[in-house]
Amino acid sequence: MDAAEAVETIQREMTAFARRARASAGRLHPELSLVSYTLLGHLEESGGCRATDLAAHYALDKSTVSRQVAALERAALIERRQDPEDHRVQLLHLTEAGRRLLAQVTESRRTAFRERLAEWPAEDLERFAQCLVRYNAWTGPASEAD
């Protein structure tokens, strides 16, 4: 396989991976889409942030984030709190129910990955992890189209 064929294979397989990730998100928790799961994870990692920060971080349309946030609020998975440094700003935070659900889904996802990769040799796992980190770290001009 030459470099051009390899790039085509990578593109095709990454697309299949993304489709599978979206489909499996619904199976892991029917009420939590992949986007919602990702937003909850970011809120946990960041300790809370504005909806506009989520939109900017994930290069999502503000209306998309707004709909997701509204659904997460209705489900009592997140809540708005006043920013202690700027009382005009509302920050989004996980609720206790949101933390529990995120932990459940995260563990289910880890289990699914472990099962899928169980037969891989350690060297292949390490190489695959390094390649994914390298791929996702690139910040070149086309990165917004990915």
Side-chain angles (χ1 to χ4, degrees):
M1 172 181 317
D2 67 13
E5 291 171 322
V7 169
E8 284 300 312
T9 299
I10 290 167
Q11 185 277 325
R12 183 181 64 247
E13 295 303 317
M14 294 289 281
T15 300
F17 177 84
R19 266 193 236 116
R20 190 178 306 110
R22 279 192 299 276
S24 70
R27 287 191 302 273
L28 292 173
H29 194 282
E31 297 148 27
L32 196 61
S33 72
L34 184 58
V35 172
S36 294
Y37 172 78
T38 303
L39 297 180
L40 289 177
H42 185 82
L43 289 174
E44 181 180 55
E45 288 174 23
S46 68
C49 67
R50 299 175 304 165
T52 55
D53 297 331
L54 288 172
H57 182 78
Y58 290 107
L60 293 170
D61 186 77
K62 289 178 185 176
S63 65
T64 300
V65 171
S66 180
R67 283 190 303 275
Q68 293 291 327
V69 165
L72 292 170
E73 283 182 299
R74 279 192 306 275
L77 300 175
I78 65 172
E79 63 187 2
R80 292 177 189 268
R81 297 184 201 155
Q82 195 172 52
D83 184 341
E85 295 177 19
D86 184 347
H87 297 304
R88 299 169 297 171
V89 175
Q90 295 276 312
L91 298 178
L92 304 171
H93 290 273
L94 292 179
T95 61
E96 195 52 44
R99 287 185 198 293
R100 283 193 306 273
L101 181 60
L102 181 61
Q104 278 180 317
V105 175
T106 297
E107 189 51 39
S108 295
R109 291 175 63 81
R110 282 187 185 129
T111 298
F113 272 104
R114 284 185 194 113
E115 289 171 0
R116 189 170 192 95
L117 300 169
E119 303 297 318
W120 287 38
E123 306 82 44
D124 287 354
L125 289 172
E126 291 168 15
R127 189 175 319 110
F128 186 48
Q130 290 167 352
C131 287
L132 286 173
V133 167
R134 183 177 172 190
Y135 178 83
N136 287 323
W138 189 67
T139 59
S143 65
E144 288 154 19
D146 291 342

